[in-house]
Amino acid sequence: MYGKGLRPLSIATVAMLAISLSLVFFYAPLDGDQGFVQKIFYVHVPLAVVALFGFMAGGVFAILHLRSNDSKWDAYSYVSIHIAVIFGVAVLITGAIWAKASWGHWWVWDEPTLVSFLIVFLLYATYYPFRYAIEDRDRQARYASVFAVTAGAFVPLNFMAVRMAESLVHPRTFATAEGGMPGEMMLTFLCMLAAVALLFTTLVKFELTAKSASGQVKRLRRALDAPVSGGSSRIAPEVS
Amino acid sequence: MEILLAAPALPLDEAGKYVAGAYVVFLVLLVVYVAIMAAKVQRIERELREVAELAERREENQAAPGREAEEAAPHA
């Protein structure tokens, strides 16, 4: 069910990533202030934006799960958060590399943007122990959904608070007062954002497909392990 | 903090390793994830093979008493 359309989506993701990376290195002009180091921006910022949207998507799916009690939405919520956490690791590492190259430090503790992202990341890092500490499947899904909704609501609030705080060193991607980015840079950034968003969607679909297949095999094994009653098989209805 | 703001752009040879580092991190994470997923898919495939064998054995066991009865019928 989840694997439908995975192949064209994967091909589109690879094509978009190839086009975007070509734009980053052969089309986008060098930044007058930071020079070549600014190229990190094209991987770091899209990853951060998509990771934050992934966390919020996890919250939206969790709301759908709480409303319908359909385990499908819980799976969507879990996988969205899972992939967003992986993207979050990439954001923190690429950010640290960019900080070292630009500011001479791997991390700056008095910079609200960095610290707020770390707080969001650490908050979601607690999702796994919280979820798997509960043995009962229904309770686990319900409590994880409540966590995802609460944490998902925290993400935009946190983002707005950071935007309102005066930044000392961290650049603003869509600055309005300073005029923003030149056209070529903006186009490259938007292409990279689309590529990373496609990558996120592909990985979510891939993970869901693998989880679904694993679940189906477990159900099949349980059905086969059960004692046979009469001539009818219990396998077919469960798999279909 | 003013010192950080005033830091000049790095020369290309020095900046290159940082840019390469950032993109390699992105690529490595992606490859590690795909490798983990490949291992998962292999495990699912192995489990599916085991389940298929189990189903076949079960089918054989179910068919065996029937065959025995068919074979016994003409003699009766």
Side-chain angles (χ1 to χ4, degrees), chain B residues 35-49:
Chain B
I36 291 169
M37 287 308 291
K40 262 188 196 174
V41 170
Q42 273 183 337
R43 199 194 64 220
I44 292 167
E45 196 185 11
R46 195 182 61 238
E47 283 176 359
L48 199 57
R49 208 169 35 238

Side-chain angles (χ1 to χ4, degrees), chain A residues 16-17 19-20 23 186-197:
Chain A
M16 197 66 197
L17 272 173
I19 292 166
S20 304
L23 288 176
M186 181 60 93
L187 176 70
T188 308
F189 169 74
L190 291 176
C191 281
M192 199 62 191
L193 184 64
V196 173

Side-chain angles (χ1 to χ4, degrees), chain A residues 24 33-34 36-37 39 83 90 94 97 101-103 105 110 169 203 206-207 210 220-221 223-226 228, chain B residues 1 4-5 7 9-10 12 15 18-19 22-23 25 29-30 33 37 40 44 47-48 50-51 54 58 62:
Chain A
V24 168
D33 180 37
Q34 292 202 23
F36 192 62
V37 164
K39 299 281 181 194
I83 304 295
T94 54
I97 293 169
S102 298
W103 308 329
H105 297 273
D110 53 3
V169 289
L203 295 183
F206 188 30
E207 182 92 30
L220 201 54
R221 187 185 280 274
L224 282 167
D225 285 342
V228 187
Chain B
M1 206 51 71
L4 294 180
L5 283 168
L10 289 172
L12 191 64
Y18 287 110
V19 175
Y23 281 87
V25 163
L29 276 173
L30 202 60
Y33 177 80
M37 287 308 291
K40 262 188 196 174
I44 292 167
E47 283 176 359
L48 199 57
E50 286 170 10
V51 168
L54 196 66
R58 196 169 184 166
Q62 278 180 326

Side-chain angles (χ1 to χ4, degrees), chain A residues 76-89:
Chain A
Y76 270 104
S77 175
Y78 170 78
V79 172
S80 295
I81 290 170
H82 179 61
I83 304 295
V85 166
I86 295 170
F87 277 33
V89 173

Side-chain angles (χ1 to χ4, degrees), chain A residues 112-113 116 154-166 172:
Chain A
T113 315
S116 72
F154 175 71
V155 172
L157 288 175
N158 188 57
F159 180 78
M160 281 189 287
V162 169
R163 292 292 290 196
M164 282 189 274
E166 190 158 331
R172 292 279 172 253

Side-chain angles (χ1 to χ4, degrees), chain A:
Chain A
M1 184 179 86
Y2 297 108
K4 200 178 169 192
L6 189 56
R7 185 186 287 207
L9 191 63
S10 307
I11 293 167
T13 303
V14 171
M16 197 66 197
L17 272 173
I19 292 166
S20 304
L21 288 172
S22 304
L23 288 176
V24 168
F25 291 106
F26 303 114
Y27 174 72
L30 281 182
D31 184 68
D33 180 37
Q34 292 202 23
F36 192 62
V37 164
Q38 187 264 349
K39 299 281 181 194
I40 298 173
F41 157 85
Y42 297 110
V43 70
H44 171 72
V45 178
L47 278 171
V49 170
V50 172
L52 292 175
F53 270 99
F55 290 138
M56 287 193 287
V60 172
F61 292 136
I63 291 171
L64 292 173
H65 171 246
L66 290 173
R67 281 174 67 96
S68 65
N69 209 21
D70 186 347
S71 61
K72 177 183 85 175
W73 297 119
D74 176 51
Y76 270 104
S77 175
Y78 170 78
V79 172
S80 295
I81 290 170
H82 179 61
I83 304 295
V85 166
I86 295 170
F87 277 33
V89 173
V91 171
L92 289 172
I93 299 173
T94 54
I97 293 169
W98 193 10
K100 179 68 180 169
S102 298
W103 308 329
H105 297 273
W106 293 105
W107 191 264
V108 182
W109 281 107
D110 53 3
E111 172 52 44
T113 315
L114 272 70
V115 178
S116 72
F117 191 87
L118 182 67
I119 291 169
V120 170
F121 176 79
L122 291 176
L123 174 68
Y124 277 96
T126 64
Y127 177 79
Y128 300 98
F130 175 77
R131 186 180 177 106
Y132 292 111
I134 303 161
E135 280 185 20
D136 180 64
R137 281 285 172 92
D138 286 340
R139 276 180 61 215
Q140 184 191 88
R142 219 166 39 247
Y143 287 12
S145 290
V146 172
F147 179 100
V149 172
T150 316
F154 175 71
V155 172
L157 288 175
N158 188 57
F159 180 78
M160 281 189 287
V162 169
R163 292 292 290 196
M164 282 189 274
E166 190 158 331
S167 174
L168 295 167
V169 289
H170 201 280
R172 292 279 172 253
T173 308
F174 298 106
T176 48
E178 292 89 21
M181 281 187 285
E184 294 98 328
M185 282 187 177
M186 181 60 93
L187 176 70
T188 308
F189 169 74
L190 291 176
C191 281
M192 199 62 191
L193 184 64
V196 173
L198 271 174
L199 179 68
F200 179 85
T201 314
T202 307
L203 295 183
V204 165
K205 229 172 155 45
F206 188 30
E207 182 92 30
L208 280 169
T209 309
K211 279 187 102 58
S212 168
S214 179
Q216 300 275 18
V217 170
K218 282 195 180 97
R219 281 172 65 189
L220 201 54
R221 187 185 280 274
R222 271 202 303 274
L224 282 167
D225 285 342
V228 187
S229 55
S232 65
S233 168
R234 288 176 51 223
I235 304 164
E238 287 198 31
V239 177
S240 62

